[in-house]
Amino acid sequence: MESASLVRLRHSLAHVMAQAVRDHFSKEGPVHFAGGPPIQDGFYYDFDLPRALVPDDLPALENRMKEILKKGHAFRYQELSADEARLILADQPYKLEILDGLQKGGCDDHGEKIGDAVPQLISLYEHADFRDLCRGPHVASCQDIPSDCFKLMKIAGAYWRGDEKRPMLQRIYALAFASAADLQEHLHRLEEAEKRDHRKLGKELKLFFFHATAPGMPYWLPQGFSILNQLIQWWREVHEREDYAEISSPLINSKKLWEISGHWEHYRDDMFVMALDKDEVYGVKPMNCPNAMIVFNHEAKSYRDLPLRLSDCDALHRHERSGALHGLLRVQKFQQDDAHIFVENQEDAIHREFQRILELVDEFYRVFRLPYRFRLATQPQDSMGEAADWQRAEACLRRVLDERGGSYEVAVGDGAFYGPKIDILIQDAIGRDWQMGTLQLDLQLPQRFDCQYVDRDGQRKHPAVIHRVIYGSMERFIGILIEHCEGRFPVWLAPVQLRILPIADRHEDFARRVQKSLRAAGIRADLDADAQSLGHRVRQFRLERIPYAVVIGDQEVEQGRLSLRSRDDEGLVSLNVDELLEKLKREIQAKYMR
């Protein structure tokens, strides 16, 4: 979470940038200001300008900002009547629209409600000769902002208030940190992120691609599909051990199902909806939970059947704006390592099951060397159900986290519409945070679907349901994993675990016998007998990030041994096929992550 002082610094720099833009275009035409909030890692500001910005404008704007900061002007808070504010902002149409929104009951820069009260006074901030409609807060003066703590990064387009029917504005994004050292550290992380970009590596390693005919819906190539299958296979093995039963359910469901679950009211805009029959509307499922309720109700249940752990990995579809799509990290078609666990509606039963789930979370994330933490998300404004149910559910999750020990974050109002949740936040190899899985406690859907079990006293009760994903979206997880390990997958996940490199044609028969033995033992081994030089083929195996290669020449054929080399070093190790198999199987079993 960003500190309050850093938020103030970024907010103040947004105003300084707006002044610099005004000065930069002073001889070209009017500059109309929209809005400029602080955001994670920096800030942005939207403008309506007399011409299009170009990259060469950014260094000039940075220099002007440094000149402004050097003068050390104070940021002064002012309160004016609406009429006085209109006079000051008379040549700023976007600011006047924001002012109109405030006068109609409190709307922010994006037209979203921020309260019902109509403010009696309007607040502005002024520094030097620049004034902006603003609630603040800001630093005391420009002297409090180091001149080397920010960098203007890129230019983008943005519709006014996010509405495609409104004017297209020009947005400048900037980074800003408390010190030059923090800024340089972040820029280094950005360089690393660019090298590790899963879209770039996905193309180079032939893992996946996208096509214009299915935006946000990945095509898995054989190499990438192998990784997906290995992740799901391990997930299945672990969940079978933990007494989960895997199910599958229809992809397309009647609107009636989504109305019962509440998704039609709360989630319809994010669904793909279609009219297949004259009088029937259907939705492509964006999540599996309503179908799990149907499966539960298929047969009568008693407390002896609980906990009932239903897992599934069906394809899901969620509608996203095209501008929000981002490789595998934000898609419209994906799979989840989903599960719905029906437990007795008692606090101790719920608590025991959450403890089991947290042990699973630890097992999965330790394998990938991904440090993680938890965030409790509480009742949102658009929730459904009784307040008492929500209070009870949130108390259960707080107890789970408190007894686990360690700190956790709280995101007020960020729960699912049917229940509070615990989000899993991980940190990758270059220090970036990602939200991955989620563990949700639901007391609402079992009531809406009238799911019942017979308790120990012969009474019918609604179960509690835990919705949980650990990987989260498989697509998103793979995208993050590609970047985390820079495409160097561990042996157990690698699409090709070992490449065989015969030095000359006369070594190929022996090489093929070795390949056959390895494949019979379940090792994904390929053979490169290309006419290119051995040095070229060794470089290629490293570029493809294959964990191991064996080189076979006269000596290896004569002795029946193999020269093993790793993608990570130049050394050669001599061993026979059985020894190689033992080594590979040991690494695969341990799921060793380099």
Side-chain angles (χ1 to χ4, degrees), residues 303 306 342-346 349-350 352 453 455-456 463-464:
Y303 71 93
L306 307 183
F342 295 80
V343 301
E344 292 182 78
N345 203 337
Q346 299 172 356
I350 294 169
R352 284 194 300 272
Y453 70 99
D455 72 4
R456 288 170 170 79

Side-chain angles (χ1 to χ4, degrees), residues 248-253 258 272 274 283-287 291 314-317 333:
S248 182
S249 57
L251 177 65
I252 299 172
N253 296 271
W258 309 113
F272 288 95
M274 62 189 75
V284 182
K285 68 177 178 180
M287 61 273 297
N291 300 95
D314 286 350
L316 302 173
H317 294 77
K333 180 267 178 184

Side-chain angles (χ1 to χ4, degrees), residues 7 60 78 139 155 217 393 411 450 457 474 530 553 560:
V7 171
Q78 298 177 324
V139 298
I155 301 159
M217 302 183 190
D450 197 25
D457 298 323
M474 301 298 298
D530 193 83

